[in-house]
Amino acid sequence: MNRSPARVRIAPSPTGDPHVGTAYVALFNWTHARQTGGQFLLRIDDTDRTRYQAESEDKIYRALHWLGIDWDEGPDKGGPHQPYRQSERCDLYQQRATQMIESGSAYRCFCSQDRLSQLREQQKQDKARLGYDGTCRDLDTEESSARAAAGEAHVVRLRTPEDGETRFTDQIRGEIVVDNCEIDDQVLVKTDGYPTYHLANVVDDIEFGITHVLRAEEWLISTPKHVLIYAALEQPLPLFIHVPLLRNVDKSKISKRKNPVSLEWFREQGFLREALLNFLALMGWSPPDEEEVFDLQRFEEAFRIEDISTGAPVFDMVKLDWLNGMHIRRLDPGALADRLEQEGFLPEGASRHQVEQILPLVTERMVRLCEFTDRTRWFFTEPEPPAREDLIPKKGTAESSNEALQAAARGLAELKPFDKSSIESCLNSILESNQWKKPLLFMPLRFALTSRKDSPELIDVIEVLGQDTVLSRLDRAISVLAGTQ
Ligand code: GLU
């Protein structure tokens, strides 16, 4: 495909929490703009006033900033074609609608909601094709203008040709041909004067000089209407690319009933932006070297817009968790500590030094950043004392655990330096001199020090806790065993 500078856009509607699908489409658009030295635009499609939510726009900005996807033109940034919020561009849509009425490619329709509902019911009963029946198509132009001038409620509709076909090429799906009789006389301007998505979208894509319309597959069905609007406005078509829809496990279109979809949720759970972008990239594209774990830079080098797949990618949380773990382990402790701090996952009172010290012990098993506090609580604050029964392994007794903890306390109290290798040889010599199997010593020790059974490597735990804390927790556990705590 042509690699001249592309002008591409995303056009989210501010109707709720920022959707993961927005990030998915943004990723491909943004990357293509970067690769070709073009521009990536952010347009806010806010003409559906019934679903509009004021705070949603800011949430979209925040989510994209978090992902590291920046835009060259947009409502908050301005640009040569501002404004970039559709509700501020209504005059323009009106002008284009008037132009289309004058050229005969659109017409005013005065049919009431009641009539349209009855029509729909009838069509359903007759199992006929649903759509407008053309009652107002051939109204006399003067009459139509006079009724509109008198303030009679109306919409503006696209005059779809009665016969023939509409054709366009989707860059990954090939040529698409639709019989015009299948295309409804789509409403372009609603009774409230706001344009529908179809008109506003085409007018803006023309005005903004968009070269590639890369969007989700769900819009493919609307594209023939858009092609007719381009023709009516005598404008060349952009290139169209419809990326496959993200799907729930049951293959239905991704929805919040069955899957998390809010970008805020992914952030709150502690998914790394790298992992989410990596995951989204894999949903629509396969890396040529089959290396599934990659960063944005690698993606930018390898991605080609024409290689976007047409499959039906399933949003598999297990895979995303796996990728998140992989990306967590790609960050060094300093960088990971930064993320934990930025995302608010640091336990209260934890010092930076402590966090960097503990991170290497827990990242091996960490999947989401939100687990950090839970996995490391034993380190930052003294945990609840262990339960007595947890201190006694299956093949042990209260006496054997008491002996084990006493021996460990004696041995560890003498260590200097207190480091991994000295701790290891101390524990080994306790095992050897008593002829104990590992669990007899390690299990009570683990519970004594962390009050949990799934802690990191015991020797690491002992080292990072430090001699004083280790000894005091051993004392405490010995009292629990004795029943004096
Ligand atoms: N406002 C539409 C959306 O919410 C934009 C679709 C398009 O990219 O044309 O997804």
Side-chain angles (χ1 to χ4, degrees):
M1 198 183 294
N2 162 355
R3 302 257 160 239
S4 49
R7 276 180 71 78
V8 292
R9 76 338 178 244
I10 53 164
S13 302
T15 53
D17 285 349
H19 197 279
V20 69
T22 299
Y24 173 61
V25 171
L27 172 65
F28 296 123
N29 275 296
W30 179 88
T31 307
H32 188 60
R34 291 286 167 275
Q35 285 179 335
T36 59
Q39 291 89 37
F40 172 61
L41 280 68
L42 173 59
R43 182 180 89 203
I44 294 288
D45 281 9
D46 59 349
T47 56
D48 184 347
R49 304 312 282 178
T50 53
R51 296 174 58 220
Y52 175 74
Q53 286 185 20
E55 64 291 355
S56 178
E57 190 177 314
D58 273 343
K59 288 183 174 189
I60 293 169
Y61 298 153
R62 241 180 286 136
L64 291 171
H65 284 313
W66 169 62
L67 288 169
I69 293 183
D70 52 348
W71 47 100
D72 303 295
E73 298 168 32
D76 58 332
K77 278 213 159 154
H81 300 282
Q82 59 190 18
Y84 291 87
R85 213 176 266 120
Q86 288 194 322
S87 59
E88 294 166 16
R89 303 173 58 80
C90 287
D91 287 351
L92 188 66
Y93 310 132
Q94 277 294 351
Q95 282 167 26
R96 294 290 173 263
T98 308
Q99 182 187 337
M100 287 177 70
I101 294 173
E102 281 166 4
S103 71
S105 52
Y107 61 92
R108 294 188 193 88
C109 166
F110 297 89
C111 292
S112 66
Q113 265 316 321
D114 278 353
R115 174 172 189 275
L116 294 174
S117 315
Q118 277 167 19
L119 173 66
R120 207 180 155 79
E121 277 316 305
Q122 193 61 50
Q123 287 171 337
K124 275 191 190 158
Q125 263 179 33
D126 299 347
K127 299 205 167 34
R129 198 180 68 81
L130 300 180
Y132 186 58
D133 63 354
T135 301
C136 294
R137 251 178 104 100
D138 298 316
L139 276 187
D140 176 68
T141 337
E142 273 175 29
E143 185 197 332
S144 155
S145 308
R147 284 169 74 176
E152 192 176 333
H154 64 277
V155 300
V156 177
R157 286 185 186 274
L158 176 68
R159 187 191 300 276
T160 306
E162 269 159 296
D163 40 37
E165 302 162 334
T166 295
R167 297 170 174 266
F168 64 94
T169 302
D170 178 288
Q171 299 302 309
I172 57 175
R173 292 160 201 273
E175 186 173 48
I176 294 184
V177 184
V178 181
D179 281 342
N180 287 334
C181 64
E182 296 293 326
I183 307 175
D184 193 19
D185 278 4
Q186 178 66 50
V187 173
L188 302 177
V189 181
K190 297 175 276 187
T191 39
D192 62 5
Y194 276 100
T196 56
Y197 156 71
H198 305 284
L199 177 66
N201 168 64
V202 173
V203 169
D204 285 345
D205 284 346
I206 293 169
E207 289 289 322
F208 296 161
I210 296 301
T211 56
H212 300 63
V213 171
L214 187 157
R215 63 183 162 204
E217 188 186 353
E218 64 190 301
W219 301 106
L220 186 60
I221 190 164
S222 302
T223 308
K225 295 171 188 169
H226 299 177
V227 169
L228 290 173
I229 303 173
Y230 277 98
L233 295 173
E234 299 177 346
Q235 295 292 330
L237 294 179
L239 297 178
F240 291 106
I241 301 112
H242 292 87
V243 297
L245 270 189
L246 305 178
R247 297 186 185 268
N248 298 312
V249 176
D250 65 6
K251 294 267 174 179
S252 56
K253 176 187 158 188
I254 196 168
S255 63
K256 64 177 166 205
R257 270 188 307 118
K258 300 186 181 161
N259 231 62
V261 292
S262 161
L263 288 169
E264 290 180 350
W265 182 87
F266 291 98
R267 188 172 183 181
E268 284 157 15
Q269 284 292 306
F271 286 100
L272 296 177
R273 65 180 72 103
E274 293 90 334
L276 187 57
L277 291 174
N278 186 166
F279 178 69
L280 292 174
L282 287 173
M283 300 286 271
W285 175 82
S286 307
D289 54 8
E290 294 183 9
E291 176 47 74
E292 287 204 301
V293 185
F294 48 81
D295 58 16
L296 206 49
Q297 195 186 342
R298 171 81 192 112
F299 179 61
E300 235 184 285
E301 285 160 14
F303 170 70
R304 286 285 169 270
I305 202 170
E306 56 271 34
D307 295 337
I308 292 178
S309 59
T310 52
V314 170
F315 203 96
D316 177 359
M317 287 299 296
V318 176
K319 173 114 182 223
L320 177 56
D321 275 335
W322 173 75
L323 274 172
N324 208 50
M326 299 300 280
H327 280 279
I328 283 178
R329 290 183 279 285
R330 280 181 151 210
L331 292 179
D332 61 47
L336 196 52
D338 283 344
R339 295 301 178 88
L340 287 164
E341 196 167 351
Q342 283 156 16
E343 303 298 336
F345 289 118
L346 286 190
E348 228 168 285
S351 77
R352 184 63 195 215
H353 171 71
Q354 286 176 312
V355 173
E356 289 188 29
Q357 206 186 1
I358 194 86
L359 268 172
L361 274 54
V362 291
T363 49
E364 201 45 53
R365 288 202 232 153
M366 212 152 91
V367 174
R368 302 182 189 177
L369 297 186
C370 65
E371 296 159 33
F372 180 73
T373 307
D374 188 45
R375 283 189 182 277
T376 59
R377 188 168 287 124
W378 55 270
F379 174 70
F380 293 106
T381 45
E382 180 153 291
E384 286 289 299
R388 188 166 187 275
E389 62 271 19
D390 286 338
L391 291 167
I392 307 172
K394 259 205 193 105
K395 294 199 171 144
T397 59
E399 290 68 44
S400 71
S401 286
N402 181 46
E403 271 175 49
L405 294 179
Q406 301 274 10
R410 275 195 308 275
L412 292 170
E414 280 162 23
L415 286 191
K416 221 177 195 172
F418 195 79
D419 61 17
K420 249 174 141 149
S421 74
S422 65
I423 296 165
E424 190 169 8
S425 49
C426 166
L427 297 185
N428 283 341
S429 75
I430 296 176
L431 286 176
E432 273 165 33
S433 58
N434 292 288
Q435 298 285 300
W436 285 336
K437 292 233 160 67
K438 275 187 180 171
L440 277 189
L441 174 64
F442 286 11
M443 219 200 96
L445 257 183
R446 186 182 303 283
F447 271 104
L449 298 177
T450 67
S451 297
R452 55 192 295 158
K453 69 167 183 291
D454 59 340
S455 78
E457 279 295 313
L458 195 54
I459 291 165
D460 293 328
V461 168
I462 295 173
E463 188 191 26
V464 298
L465 278 177
Q467 206 163 20
D468 291 347
T469 310
V470 167
L471 295 178
S472 90
R473 289 193 192 176
L474 288 179
D475 262 1
R476 192 171 70 147
I478 290 165
S479 314
V480 170
L481 270 177
T484 54
Q485 158 108 17

